[in-house]
Amino acid sequence: MSGRTHDVVVFGATGFTGRLVAEHLASRGEAAGAWAIAGRNAEKLAAVAADLGVEVPQLVVDATDHEQVAAMAASTKVVCTTVGPYARFGEPLVRACAEAGTDYVDLTGEPQWVRRMIDAHHDTAVASGARLVHCCGFDSIPSDLGTAFAQQTMHEVHGTHASRVRLRVKGARGGASGGTLASMVQVMEEAGADPAVARVVADPYSLLPAGERVGPHVATSARPTYDETFSSWTGPFVMEMINAKVVRRTNALLGYPWGREFVYGEAVLTGDGIAGRARATAIAAGTGGGALALSNRLVRDLADRVLPDSGTGPDAAAREAGFFDMRIVAEHPEDRSRDVVVKVTGDRDPGYGATSRMLGEAALTLAQGESAVGGGSWTPASALGGALRARLVDHAGMTFEVV
C-alpha cells in the first residue's frame, strides 16, 4: 500500500458514532498515525475537526457516488466506516476497497448484507490483498474475540478445544444505538420482502464459506432456559442473530480447530427463582414480539418515525456511566470440571462509547501491520485476534479474563 496518503479514513465522521470514532483516534495522538475524516458535508466535517481540536484532512464523499468512494478507498490503507444501514449504503465502498486492495472495517450487524458482500467481493479481495472485516463493534467483537480467547486458554491449559461454547450476558447499561435499531429494521424489511433473505437470517451457518454452510442442529434460545453454571434463568440475547454467525465463521476461517460439530449460543442471565424465570419470559416475549412486529410493514414505518435517529445518541455522561459484563463458558469435551470461563467487560455503554473504540482500534490494527492474514472477507477474531484484544485492553477500557 505504498503511496497512500492516509493510514485510516473515518467515513461517516459527521454522524454520531463516526464522530466518536474520530474522537477516539484524536485521543490516541501520534499513535493513530496519519488519519483523516470523511463525510458528505464539508461544513460539518470542518466543525468536527474544530470541536476535536485536530488538524486532519477532510474528504467530501457521498456514499452513493462511486467515483468519490473509489477515490477515498485508493487514498488510504484502511477505511473505517460507520455509514449505515449498510444494506442501503455500504456496497459501493466494499467493492471499491476490494478492487483497490484497501483494508476495510465496519459496524454492521446485518447478516443478509454480510453474506452478499462475502459472495460478491471475497474473491476480488483475495486477489487484491484487501482485508474486509465486518462486525467490528459490540456486535460482534466481545463474542468473537472472547470465544477465541476462551478456546486459546482451553488449548493452552488442557491441550484440547471446546466443541460447545455459550455466552451469557451478566449485566449491561446503555441502550441500543439508533444505527443498530435502523439496521434491525432494515433486516426485517428485507427478510419480509424476500424469502431468500429470510433464510439467510434464520440459518445459523449462512456466513460460512460457500459449500460449507452446514453444521449440527442449533437449539433455539427463544424460550427461558435454566443455566446450572450460573444458577440463573436465561432469556434470548437479541445480538445472537449476528454474533453466533460470526463466531461460527471464525471457526471455519481458522480451519475448524474447534471441530465441525462446534456449537455456540448466547443468552441473557436473568437471575434465579420465580423472579428470574419471569424476567426471562418477559425478555423472550419482547424479543419474539419485536421481531414479529418489525416484519410488518406498517409497524416498520411507525418504527422509522419513533425510534432514535441513527445520527443521535446519549451524552458523554451517559456513555461513561454505561458498561457491559459477559461470561463465556468453553465446555471441556470430556471433563466438565475443566470448563474454562472467561469474563469480557467494557467500561462504556455498548452501543456508542465501547463500540466506537472497538472500531477505531480494529482499524489501527490493520493500518499498523498487526494482522498477518491475506486478502478476503474476515471476522474480527480470524483477522485481528490477539493483537486487537491487547489493544482493546490497553486503549479501549475492555478486559478479557479467565475467571
Side-chain angles (χ1 to χ4, degrees), residues 40-381:
R40 62 182 179 179
N41 186 297
E43 292 182 358
K44 290 183 178 180
L45 286 170
V48 168
D51 288 346
L52 297 179
V54 294
E55 295 183 3
V56 294
Q58 300 157 31
L59 313 180
V60 178
V61 179
D62 188 317
T64 63
D65 188 312
H66 290 223
E67 291 185 2
Q68 291 180 358
V69 168
M72 175 178 65
S75 74
T76 185
K77 293 180 181 178
V78 184
V79 176
C80 167
T81 177
T82 63
V83 180
Y86 292 91
R88 295 183 190 174
F89 304 113
E91 195 275 340
L93 178 56
V94 175
R95 181 172 70 246
C97 288
E99 292 174 348
T102 300
D103 294 338
Y104 166 99
V105 292
D106 69 27
L107 293 174
T108 188
E110 302 160 53
Q112 83 292 0
W113 181 75
V114 174
R115 167 67 179 273
R116 287 202 293 269
M117 297 304 97
I118 293 169
D119 292 347
H121 303 296
H122 172 76
D123 291 344
T124 301
V126 169
S128 72
R131 281 84 62 90
L132 311 176
V133 189
H134 303 289
C135 309
C136 290
F138 185 61
D139 43 340
S140 302
I141 278 179
S143 305
D144 198 31
L145 267 63
T147 297
F149 178 58
Q151 290 282 21
Q152 175 186 323
T153 303
M154 175 69 78
H155 193 265
E156 290 174 350
V157 175
H158 300 304
T160 188
H161 287 111
S163 59
R164 182 182 297 270
V165 172
R166 62 188 190 277
L167 177 148
R168 299 294 181 253
V169 181
K170 187 173 186 293
R173 180 186 298 124
S177 72
T180 296
L181 295 170
S183 291
M184 292 175 64
V185 171
Q186 178 74 26
V187 171
M188 292 300 102
E189 181 176 348
E190 289 192 40
D194 186 343
V197 171
R199 287 193 292 272
V200 169
V201 173
D203 182 359
Y205 301 100
S206 60
L207 297 189
L208 268 60
E212 302 178 24
R213 291 166 181 161
V214 295
H217 172 71
V218 176
T220 178
S221 61
R223 295 181 179 179
T225 304
Y226 195 76
D227 191 316
E228 297 285 352
T229 300
F230 298 100
S231 300
S232 174
W233 287 94
T234 70
F237 181 42
V238 68
M239 295 288 96
E240 183 184 34
M241 176 185 69
I242 182 65
N243 292 343
K245 292 177 175 63
V246 170
V247 171
R248 294 185 188 105
R249 179 169 173 81
T250 289
N251 183 39
L253 294 177
L254 294 177
Y256 297 99
W258 313 333
R260 290 183 179 270
E261 298 301 305
F262 173 67
V263 175
Y264 177 83
E266 300 184 343
V268 178
L269 298 174
T270 59
D272 201 1
I274 296 174
R277 184 170 187 173
R279 283 189 289 268
T281 301
I283 291 174
T287 302
L292 181 62
L294 287 176
S295 67
N296 181 283
R297 181 175 179 178
L298 292 176
V299 175
R300 289 197 306 271
D301 289 343
L302 176 62
D304 282 337
R305 292 194 293 270
V306 301
L307 290 176
D309 184 81
S310 58
T312 63
D315 61 21
R319 295 195 302 271
E320 292 175 8
F323 74 95
F324 63 86
D325 183 343
M326 297 174 163
R327 307 300 163 97
I328 298 174
V329 181
E331 299 182 7
H332 191 281
E334 297 176 357
D335 182 355
R336 291 295 307 281
S337 70
R338 299 183 182 184
D339 286 0
V340 170
V341 181
V342 165
K343 176 181 178 181
V344 181
T345 69
D347 67 355
R348 295 288 189 276
D349 73 299
Y352 296 97
T355 279
S356 58
R357 296 191 292 180
M358 291 180 208
L359 183 65
E361 292 300 326
L364 293 178
T365 304
L366 289 170
Q368 297 179 4
E370 298 173 11
S371 172
V373 301
S377 295
W378 296 93
T379 60

Side-chain angles (χ1 to χ4, degrees), residues 145 148-149 152 365 370 380-393:
L145 267 63
F149 178 58
Q152 175 186 323
T365 304
E370 298 173 11
S382 62
L384 309 175
L388 177 57
R389 188 175 71 245
R391 281 179 166 275
L392 296 175
V393 171

